[in-house]
Amino acid sequence: MSACAVQPWVSPSVSLSLVKRGEETPGPQARLRPLTGACLRSRGVSEVSHWRALLRVQASRPSAVRCGGSATRGRTDCPSLCTEQEKDPKYWRDQAQQTLKNALGLQKLNTKVAKNVILFLGDGMGVSTVTAARILKGQLHHNPGEETRLEMDKFPFVALSKTYNTNAQVPDSAGTATAYLCGVKANEGTVGVSAATQRSQCNTTQGNEVTSILRWAKDAGKAVGIMITTRVNHATTSAVYVLSSDGTGYVIMGGGRKYMYPKNKTDVEYEVDEKARGTRLDGLDLVDIWRSFKPRHKHSHFVWNRTELLALDPYTVDYLLGLFEPGDMQYELNRNNITDPSLSEMVEVAIKILKKNPRGFFLLVEGGRIDHGHHEGKAKQALHEAVEMDRAIGKAGTMTSLEDTLTVVTADHSHVFTFGGYTPRGNSIFGLAPMVSDTDKKPFTAILYGNGPGYKVVGGERENVSMVDYAHNNYQAQSAVPLRHETHGGEDVAVFAKGPMAHLLHGVHEQNYIPHVMAYAACIGANLDHCAWASSAGSLAPGALLLPLTLLPLSVLF
């Protein structure tokens, strides 16, 4: 047994002081071996801190007991914890019966018109990322993590989305954006156009343009908002701006200042940083142009920092453009809490502004840097981005109603990200697997990538992760194949839905089905025959659909 070995369970009497002193816990049924200096060095400070905090919380819980059985598969890392109630089969049976009762309650479908629609898009948030983010969320609250519920986990309807592009088995973010925003599948590398358009062949574009659901919403008189943690001219938002002459959004927030200003214009925040200067070769100031498109009797605001954003009175703002970084916004772990707002804060301000519209709103929120973290092999950055997006989902939920707001959470694609290795309950999501490789006799982290920049060979062998700080924010998890940038994954991604007509997202669907459901629920787009109308003027009356259980053929919707 290694110097770091501990029994896979702890007594409720284990205290932080005992762990610090390296003393053994007395008692006939529980003993914690000391975390020695060698163990501390090999495990990384952050992971040890996680365990100390977890042990402290568990020590305060009288119900914490050994979760029966001896150590298996060479588990030597850290204690696996369960509660007394989890030991009792009645706990699990009662939990299942309550879940069944809740599911039966869903038989009464919500077929009202969705006055508001919110689409949360986790860029690159595959199922493995969702699961790992769930565990991280719990561990950030000093719990084991696996039992935690994300906000999206609470949504009653879940489906799977097939993400392939028309010419690609594993998709890119441009073609997928066209699918889940414009309702048609497209080729990789193209955005806002049908599959009849070929990448890099501009003469195939004309006549093949398609519009997005944000345009459909705006044409129906709804307010429109776009939040993104990358730059606002990223792939997802590009599908929105296509064919929109006035910038589309009532509210637009994200990064990307330097792309809005003439080349070499000094940035308002990073005055001495040449890389932050304007990049436009056409000499245009797009912020001024954005202002010029707004009606003079309306109140338009441009903000570039968190202080300005939070100082706004949302009830006096008609249009808002917020650009908080020259390029992409900072990772949540690196964010300056004074100058840069969180995604949750942006969502809160946006909803306060948009909900003033009596006809409702459509809000697109993208956690774009989940994708960046994975491409860089930095799982810790990616997962903290996912947790922050989940906070934003929760914030939106407190500000809206299930009666009139359809909320959908999904991803454009997955990544070749995984975690495994028979880790025990409560193992730090960024920690080591409880065994060494039976081939090269070296330890490995639970999180790994199929390919990417984490592939490292030292002395002709796989790098020994115990010699590096694998708990560092920018640690690049090991990968099987060396690549400068990790790639997307091709498996289906989850779709979570709640609110009016959410039950229409229910099985395995093509990705382009998603905007058709949202449009049907909100009574926007080309086909409005199924909607209830309040008057001949055409104003929507939020209420039951005339044909609540009979979907018209989707082929005639758009």
Side-chain angles (χ1 to χ4, degrees):
M1 190 171 280
S2 72
C4 295
V6 298
Q7 295 292 338
W9 43 268
V10 295
S11 163
S13 62
V14 172
S15 69
L16 177 63
S17 61
L18 288 174
V19 175
K20 283 185 175 179
R21 292 200 304 268
E23 298 177 1
E24 295 185 355
T25 302
Q29 288 193 331
R31 186 179 65 173
L32 175 66
R33 292 174 182 256
L35 286 172
T36 64
C39 184
L40 291 173
R41 287 192 297 274
S42 69
R43 298 188 62 75
V45 175
S46 296
E47 190 184 356
V48 173
S49 298
H50 160 72
W51 280 109
R52 285 174 172 163
L54 184 57
L55 290 172
R56 184 191 301 116
V57 172
Q58 291 295 333
S60 67
R61 297 176 179 173
S63 57
V65 299
R66 176 177 181 176
C67 200
S70 59
T72 59
R73 293 191 172 95
R75 289 179 176 167
T76 61
D77 271 4
C78 294
S80 179
L81 306 174
C82 73
T83 62
E84 182 65 32
Q85 63 181 1
E86 289 178 336
K87 187 178 179 182
D88 185 353
K90 185 177 184 298
Y91 165 76
W92 299 107
R93 291 166 182 156
D94 289 348
Q95 183 189 78
Q97 288 299 315
Q98 184 58 52
T99 303
L100 177 60
K101 182 178 179 180
N102 295 341
L104 291 170
L106 296 176
Q107 301 306 304
K108 184 179 180 181
L109 301 177
N110 182 348
T111 58
K112 295 181 179 179
V113 170
K115 177 182 178 182
N116 312 310
V117 179
I118 305 176
L119 173 60
F120 282 93
L121 192 286
D123 194 337
M125 190 180 71
V127 172
S128 58
T129 299
V130 172
T131 306
R134 177 188 304 130
I135 294 172
L136 174 59
K137 178 182 177 180
Q139 293 182 351
L140 290 173
H141 290 87
H142 307 306
N143 293 314
E146 297 83 2
E147 72 297 325
T148 301
R149 296 181 73 195
L150 293 168
E151 293 299 324
M152 65 187 89
D153 290 339
K154 301 172 186 177
F155 286 26
F157 298 100
V158 182
L160 289 176
S161 168
K162 297 160 67 176
T163 64
Y164 68 91
N165 296 144
T166 49
N167 65 340
Q169 187 178 74
V170 178
D172 76 343
S173 293
T176 54
T178 304
Y180 64 77
L181 290 174
C182 302
V184 299
K185 288 235 173 188
N187 293 324
E188 65 174 346
T190 66
V191 64
V193 289
S194 72
T197 298
Q198 299 300 312
R199 183 174 187 171
S200 301
Q201 297 183 22
C202 295
N203 61 346
T204 65
T205 300
Q206 188 172 3
N208 295 319
E209 303 90 348
V210 292
T211 56
S212 78
I213 189 170
L214 278 83
R215 185 56 186 256
W216 311 337
K218 193 171 183 181
D219 288 346
K222 294 184 181 295
V224 174
I226 303 165
M227 325 272 94
I228 187 168
T229 55
T230 59
R231 55 200 181 276
V232 296
N233 57 336
H234 199 237
T236 297
T237 48
S238 295
V240 172
Y241 302 138
V242 169
L243 302 181
S244 298
S245 61
D246 60 357
T248 297
Y250 285 64
V251 177
I252 303 174
M253 285 190 273
R257 279 196 304 264
K258 67 180 181 181
Y259 303 106
M260 307 299 148
Y261 292 112
K263 185 174 177 60
N264 292 326
K265 180 173 181 177
T266 300
D267 184 71
V268 66
E269 182 178 5
Y270 305 100
E271 296 180 358
V272 298
D273 187 352
E274 294 185 1
K275 293 182 179 180
R277 293 178 180 176
T279 63
R280 301 195 65 83
L281 299 178
D282 55 15
L284 296 176
D285 183 326
L286 295 190
V287 174
D288 282 346
I289 292 175
W290 174 83
R291 287 193 181 103
S292 71
F293 272 106
K294 305 307 174 227
R296 292 186 178 182
H297 65 283
K298 297 290 186 179
H299 299 284
S300 303
H301 294 263
F302 168 72
V303 297
W304 65 268
N305 61 60
R306 178 177 182 269
T307 301
E308 291 181 349
L309 176 67
L310 299 185
L312 291 173
D313 178 2
Y315 303 101
T316 63
V317 176
D318 296 307
Y319 297 94
L320 174 63
L321 175 61
L323 300 175
F324 304 108
E325 285 290 331
D328 299 320
M329 294 189 69
Q330 297 292 328
Y331 282 120
E332 179 63 20
L333 282 175
N334 304 343
R335 180 171 61 86
N336 185 320
N337 293 332
I338 297 176
T339 58
D340 293 346
S342 67
L343 185 61
S344 303
E345 291 170 334
M346 291 193 290
V347 165
E348 181 175 6
V349 173
I351 291 178
K352 286 179 179 178
I353 295 172
L354 299 174
K355 70 191 308 183
K356 296 183 298 180
N357 189 318
R359 294 194 177 186
F361 63 83
F362 188 104
L363 175 60
L364 170 63
V365 183
E366 182 183 16
R369 303 224 66 189
I370 301 170
D371 180 70
H372 290 184
H374 281 320
H375 278 309
E376 295 172 6
K378 299 174 181 177
K380 193 166 189 176
Q381 297 285 10
L383 296 185
H384 276 272
E385 291 294 307
V387 170
E388 173 55 29
M389 193 182 85
D390 196 64
R391 292 192 193 101
I393 294 169
K395 173 58 67 175
T398 65
M399 300 179 69
T400 56
S401 169
L402 285 172
E403 294 300 306
D404 65 0
T405 302
L406 171 64
T407 304
V408 177
V409 180
T410 190
D412 47 355
H413 54 74
S414 183
H415 276 270
V416 291
F417 162 85
T418 187
F419 70 98
Y422 300 116
T423 47
R425 174 83 176 271
N427 198 71
S428 169
I429 191 62
F430 304 114
L432 295 176
M435 65 187 75
V436 296
S437 166
D438 58 6
T439 302
D440 65 12
K441 310 305 180 185
K442 291 184 174 66
F444 58 96
T445 55
I447 286 177
L448 297 167
Y449 285 95
N451 58 51
Y455 179 94
K456 292 182 177 63
V457 176
V458 178
E461 297 181 339
R462 180 173 66 90
E463 182 181 53
N464 189 334
V465 295
S466 67
M467 306 304 293
V468 300
D469 183 5
Y470 54 81
H472 192 277
N473 290 353
N474 291 323
Y475 171 72
Q476 293 177 311
Q478 292 185 336
S479 64
V481 176
L483 287 177
R484 291 183 180 178
H485 300 283
E486 178 264 4
T487 72
H488 295 170
E491 71 270 22
D492 299 347
V493 298
V495 186
F496 305 85
K498 68 175 182 178
M501 307 303 287
H503 57 278
L504 298 180
L505 291 162
H506 61 279
V508 180
H509 304 293
E510 296 286 359
Q511 191 171 47
N512 67 292
Y513 172 72
I514 296 171
H516 291 270
V517 171
M518 295 187 293
Y520 186 90
C523 286
I524 59 178
N527 177 14
L528 303 174
D529 294 341
H530 61 291
C531 299
W533 294 87
S535 67
S536 58
S539 60
L540 282 173
L545 297 180
L546 290 179
L547 301 176
L549 299 178
T550 306
L551 264 175
L552 296 177
L554 287 176
S555 60
V556 304
L557 279 174
F558 305 99

